[in-house]
Amino acid sequence: MNMGQTKKTFSVKGMHCASCVVMIERSLKKVDGVSSATVNLATEKATVTYDPLKVSDEKLSSAVSNVGYQAIVNEEIRTEDEEKEEKEKELRDLRRKVAVSLIFGALLLWGSFPWLIDTAPAALKDFWVQLLLAIPVQFWAGYGFYRATISALRHRTANMDTLVAIGTTVAFGYSAFVTVFPQLVMKIGIEPMPYYDTATVIIGLILLGRYFEAKAKAGTSEAIKKLIGLQAKTARVLRNPEGKPASYEAGGKEMDIPISDVIIGDILRVRPGEKIPVDGILVEGESSVDESMLTGESIPVDKIVGDTIVGATMNKTGTFTFKATKVGADTMLAQIIKLVQEAQGSKAPIQRLADLISSYFVPIVLMLAILTFAVWYVFGPAPVLLYALLNTVAVLIIACPCAMGLATPTAIMVGTGKGAEHGVLIKDAESLEIAHKLNTIIFDKTGTLTKGKPEVTDILPFGLIDRNELLRLAGSIEKGSEHSLAEAIVAAAEAQQLVLAKVEKFQAIPGHGVEGIVENKRIIFGNKRLMDKESIDVRKAESEIGNMENNGKTVMMIGVEHKLVGIIAVADVIKESAKEGLVALQKLGIETVMITGDNKRTANAIGQKLGITRILAEVLPGEKEAEVRKIQSEGKVVGMVGDGINDAPALAAANVGIAMGSGTDVAIEAADITLINKDLRSVAAAVVLSKKTMRTIRLNLFWAFGYNVLLIPVAMGALYPLFGLLLNPILASIAMATSSISVVANSLLLKRKKIV
């Protein structure tokens, strides 16, 4: 996104096919200041990137309404109950129209169908009664078709509603003419036979298809529903009598308020078993928190004072208070919901094919319908007008491009939703599509393949001293140091609950180590250069030191009163999921590369442990982007996995950038895919998910295109000369509805596919 550009996603009501999508996109792109617009049929949302100085919400809304649809531009994240209530209202209205249409249609069939007419009451055989039954279906249940058609024609475009409106109006109009002027029809040699049942049943079946389609599409958006459902409804805050945030000491009293009323700076109390309302920092107490909704990991995470707390996670054991730092749309959960909504509403490159075809499709169908009418009227058997009308209606109905419009977005919705459930946040559909083409993935070492935080790996004492005493002395002398390796040693000593001694005459020796007096003994702790400087003999430890350094560890030696008493090795430990994650990628035939600023010896040691053969060592942060482009120049499709902040240029340069999520600071803008679970096995999962989603999309498109290509000629009467077969318009409407439902159902099968 360019500087100064804003991205907005909002709902659009009234869409039914790929042509609707193309029409709305064109209208939005015509607005001065809009740089891009993507409309998604499955999510019923539009995502627009624009200059806020030139474009207002009113302009966006007008652009949509001008082509016959309704935009809900100022839309907040709604609660699960609100979402459910709105969907249920839509389904109720649709269900009512379907019921009236099909009941009246059944009565009309009973009174006009050759096999049933003999059993029908006399009233149902009366043309005027049939007209009265057909009118509410045609103009009440079918009102939506007319409204969309009029708007489309006003802008010299056409969509699926145009086809339905023209087809059913032709059948209804002919029938009404026969009813009102039967003698005139008889004079031209045609039996006055109305076809109200055709128009009525077609409208009923198309609306029934939309009802089932809406029910099925609701299943594709379960990921969003689950995320919204994670939100806490209320929060227990500490407020003073004036209603301002206050601690217990400052006279704060506990009160339960709606989560929407929580403000930054509020002190909140959370008890065991309660959901954490918003993001914040723990200020008092400690607990164990279930963060599985965020990371996918079922093991609770221990939290102490100073730790980050994420809203919508579940408090398991202790009671604690925390200070709110992010509320409303800024919370981690709100960001995830927004990201998933944008991803589900984005458009994959493969969908451009469907959009391109659908932009020409409806006009071509209208021409084919006119051709069908002309051919049957000129060359068809008697009664020619009747055959011409019915076959024209069949062509108009069978060609509705619903399945074409749903083929890609429904699969994208399910795919991105499934990713979110496994801690894999996919930024857009394009990234999801490209991921299956990756053949090389570059991993940053520190913080990605390794934990990014040094840990003590080896404690080797010499002489009479034991491991704990050696670690206690090292921890004592290092307590005053600010070096990252010192933190690792002090942390290891404290983890063993060792009591550290007081240090006198402490001195840090840059590039060498530290020295000081501990319990009246002079302690020297540092590298081999410091030992040589102090004339401390380290020959007895040389083989162990060599082995440790060959394994990528940093070795420090400790001397007491000019005598070597032990060595301690510190290393940036490889993540538990690294080996499995890399093996999974290699099984997929993907080359893995490690990039690091470390020296070649350390890098090779880490690479050997992980089974990585291609290692780029001693690469400065600013040079990583160039290395990515260098590998791309070899013809490789490259993925880059990094921390999303330091590696931002390299992540942006890669075909797909994958960021390791860190706490609540998810690097959404830096990468195309964010692993909030920080599990390297999820890299392979993202690739597998991409492959399975693309396979589903291709199958959907094959079915959608194949359906139209095969059945339009049948509707035109291609089989009539050879077999005497024609496609009844009612059967055409059944086939059209079945096509859309089958595409959505096929996309829903993605939910059952394993990706990890």
Side-chain angles (χ1 to χ4, degrees):
M1 196 189 307
N2 297 327
M3 293 297 291
Q5 294 277 295
T6 298
K7 183 185 279 189
K8 181 185 281 286
T9 298
F10 54 88
S11 295
V12 178
K13 302 296 182 185
M15 295 189 293
H16 301 298
C17 69
S19 298
C20 304
V21 169
V22 173
M23 197 186 310
I24 297 167
E25 283 183 350
R26 282 178 180 169
S27 183
L28 286 168
K29 286 174 183 175
K30 286 179 183 176
V31 177
D32 183 35
V34 171
S35 56
S36 69
T38 302
V39 178
N40 188 297
L41 176 62
T43 60
E44 297 181 333
K45 289 185 183 292
T47 300
V48 182
T49 304
Y50 61 93
D51 182 349
L53 298 177
K54 295 181 178 179
V55 181
S56 64
D57 289 348
E58 290 74 22
K59 285 186 178 181
L60 294 176
S61 184
S62 295
V64 175
S65 61
N66 284 343
V67 286
Y69 304 89
Q70 181 190 359
I72 305 173
V73 178
N74 293 310
E75 188 175 35
E76 295 294 326
I77 292 175
R78 290 167 293 177
T79 66
E80 188 179 19
D81 292 339
E82 288 172 337
E83 288 265 338
K84 188 176 178 182
E85 186 179 340
E86 184 182 337
K87 289 292 180 187
E88 284 181 351
K89 183 180 181 299
E90 289 177 11
L91 288 172
R92 273 197 309 272
D93 292 344
L94 202 48
R95 194 161 53 231
R96 196 179 301 119
K97 289 180 179 180
V98 168
V100 171
S101 301
L102 292 183
I103 289 169
F104 284 15
L107 292 172
L108 288 166
L109 270 175
W110 191 12
S112 57
F113 199 70
W115 297 347
L116 301 172
I117 195 167
D118 292 339
T119 65
L124 289 180
K125 299 175 189 177
D126 187 285
F127 293 174
W128 287 97
V129 172
Q130 291 182 8
L131 174 61
L132 290 173
L133 288 172
I135 285 173
V137 176
Q138 191 70 36
F139 300 107
W140 171 68
Y143 171 71
F145 299 124
Y146 286 108
R147 185 181 59 192
T149 299
I150 291 167
S151 295
L153 293 177
R154 193 185 299 135
H155 293 84
R156 295 185 293 280
T157 58
N159 56 22
M160 172 197 161
D161 292 315
T162 309
L163 302 181
V164 176
I166 292 174
T168 58
T169 301
V170 166
F172 177 85
Y174 171 78
S175 302
F177 187 84
V178 166
T179 302
V180 178
F181 305 107
Q183 302 301 326
L184 192 58
V185 174
M186 289 174 69
K187 278 184 182 180
I188 59 174
I190 298 175
E191 182 184 355
M193 180 64 67
Y195 285 87
Y196 294 115
D197 57 332
T198 299
T200 306
V201 172
I202 284 172
I203 289 173
L205 288 172
I206 290 173
L207 292 176
L208 180 64
R210 288 188 179 177
Y211 174 76
F212 286 130
E213 193 180 290
K215 292 272 284 185
K217 281 199 294 185
T220 64
S221 60
E222 276 183 11
I224 292 289
K225 288 181 183 175
K226 285 180 182 176
L227 289 170
I228 292 172
L230 291 172
Q231 293 174 314
K233 302 289 190 298
T234 60
R236 183 173 291 105
V237 300
L238 272 66
R239 296 271 177 92
N240 62 22
E242 287 78 37
K244 294 182 179 180
S247 62
Y248 287 110
E249 295 77 11
K253 300 289 184 182
E254 289 185 21
M255 61 176 69
D256 289 333
I257 63 172
I259 190 171
S260 56
D261 292 345
V262 177
I263 59 175
I264 293 174
D266 260 329
I267 304 297
L268 297 92
R269 183 166 179 258
V270 185
R271 295 180 296 196
E274 290 183 338
K275 199 174 281 186
I276 296 168
V278 296
D279 298 358
I281 302 293
L282 197 148
V283 294
E284 186 180 351
E286 56 184 51
S287 185
S288 187
V289 177
D290 179 0
E291 295 186 340
S292 57
M293 57 72 60
L294 183 71
T295 65
E297 289 290 331
S298 58
I299 300 172
V301 179
D302 291 334
K303 299 286 184 179
I304 58 174
V305 172
D307 282 350
T308 299
I309 302 297
V310 181
T313 55
M314 184 68 74
N315 183 30
K316 301 294 285 184
T317 53
T319 298
F320 62 87
T321 56
F322 73 98
K323 185 177 183 179
T325 56
K326 290 181 180 179
V327 299
D330 295 325
T331 63
M332 177 66 168
L333 179 64
Q335 288 183 50
I336 292 173
I337 290 171
K338 183 185 176 191
L339 181 68
V340 175
Q341 283 178 330
E342 287 183 0
Q344 291 188 339
S346 62
K347 187 169 291 187
I350 195 172
Q351 194 175 339
R352 290 171 194 151
L353 174 64
D355 289 346
L356 180 65
I357 291 172
S358 64
S359 65
Y360 296 102
F361 192 76
V362 174
I364 289 171
V365 168
L366 289 171
M367 287 188 283
L368 288 175
I370 294 168
L371 178 65
T372 301
F373 183 87
V375 170
W376 277 93
Y377 191 78
V378 175
F379 301 107
V384 290
L385 181 61
L386 200 55
Y387 274 109
L389 284 173
L390 291 178
N391 288 319
T392 299
V393 171
V395 170
L396 290 168
I397 300 304
I398 199 71
C400 293
C402 295
M404 205 182 301
L406 292 167
T408 302
T410 50
I412 294 292
M413 281 182 73
V414 177
T416 52
K418 189 173 181 67
E421 288 173 15
H422 287 83
V424 180
L425 292 184
I426 299 163
K427 191 173 184 180
D428 53 40
E430 186 170 0
S431 305
L432 181 62
E433 178 172 336
I434 296 171
H436 86 285
K437 300 176 184 175
L438 295 176
N439 50 32
T440 303
I441 296 183
I442 305 170
F443 289 86
D444 176 52
K445 181 184 81 71
T446 306
T448 302
L449 291 171
T450 63
K451 292 184 177 179
K453 191 174 182 181
E455 293 181 6
V456 172
T457 57
D458 300 87
I459 302 171
L460 185 60
F462 295 110
L464 300 177
I465 193 170
D466 63 17
R467 283 170 52 89
N468 280 351
E469 179 61 14
L470 182 65
L471 182 59
R472 187 183 75 85
L473 290 176
S476 298
I477 193 71
E478 285 284 26
K479 187 149 190 173
S481 174
E482 295 179 354
H483 197 279
S484 60
L485 299 181
E487 290 179 19
I489 290 166
V490 172
E494 290 176 346
Q496 295 295 322
Q497 296 183 333
L498 302 176
V499 179
L500 302 182
K502 185 180 177 182
V503 181
E504 297 175 353
K505 297 183 180 179
F506 172 83
Q507 184 180 355
I509 307 166
H512 291 74
V514 295
E515 66 171 288
I517 305 296
V518 177
E519 295 171 346
N520 298 320
K521 295 176 184 176
R522 186 166 182 263
I523 308 292
I524 306 292
F525 188 52
N527 56 26
K528 189 173 183 298
R529 282 177 292 177
L530 181 58
M531 298 300 116
D532 291 340
K533 181 185 173 186
E534 294 291 330
S535 300
I536 296 175
D537 186 1
V538 297
R539 283 176 296 178
K540 62 182 175 182
E542 280 180 349
S543 63
E544 286 86 353
I545 292 169
N547 289 334
M548 290 176 185
E549 287 182 343
N550 284 333
N551 283 317
K553 299 173 183 177
T554 300
V555 180
M556 291 177 288
M557 289 143 264
I558 185 165
V560 178
E561 299 293 348
H562 296 285
K563 183 179 180 182
L564 183 71
V565 296
I567 57 177
I568 294 176
V570 176
D572 189 359
V573 181
I574 294 171
K575 286 183 179 176
E576 293 82 356
S577 62
K579 182 70 176 176
E580 286 183 52
L582 291 164
V583 168
L585 287 171
Q586 287 153 8
K587 283 181 180 177
L588 293 171
I590 296 172
E591 180 189 9
T592 53
V593 181
M594 184 175 79
I595 191 166
T596 178
D598 282 349
N599 62 66
K600 291 182 180 179
R601 187 176 179 183
T602 301
N604 287 333
I606 298 289
Q608 191 173 9
K609 285 182 181 178
L610 292 170
I612 300 175
T613 54
R614 187 170 182 178
I615 297 163
L616 307 174
E618 300 175 10
V619 179
L620 297 174
E623 298 171 347
K624 289 180 181 179
E625 179 187 359
E627 292 292 340
V628 169
R629 297 196 184 281
K630 187 176 175 183
I631 294 176
Q632 286 173 325
S633 69
E634 299 170 11
K636 303 288 181 66
V637 183
V638 178
M640 171 72 193
V641 186
D643 63 16
I645 301 168
N646 299 329
D647 302 313
L651 287 166
N655 297 91
V656 177
I658 304 173
M660 304 298 292
S662 135
T664 59
D665 184 20
V666 179
I668 290 173
E669 292 302 323
D672 303 303
I673 297 174
T674 302
L675 308 180
I676 55 173
N677 57 18
K678 295 177 277 187
D679 189 331
L680 286 165
R681 289 169 294 191
S682 295
V683 178
V687 175
V688 170
L689 179 63
S690 172
K691 288 178 183 291
K692 293 187 174 180
T693 304
M694 290 310 300
R695 197 175 299 134
T696 299
I697 289 172
R698 290 192 186 102
L699 187 59
N700 284 351
L701 287 173
F702 174 79
W703 171 253
F705 286 135
Y707 156 83
N708 286 120
V709 169
L710 288 174
L711 292 185
I712 288 177
V714 174
M716 292 177 72
L719 299 180
Y720 187 77
L722 296 174
F723 306 103
L725 293 176
L726 290 173
L727 185 62
N728 187 296
I730 292 175
L731 293 177
S733 62
I734 293 173
M736 188 270 290
T738 304
S739 165
S740 300
I741 295 166
S742 65
V743 162
V744 177
N746 185 50
S747 297
L748 288 170
L749 289 176
L750 260 175
K751 287 185 176 183
R752 301 183 182 180
K753 303 277 177 74
K754 286 187 68 176
I755 62 170
V756 290

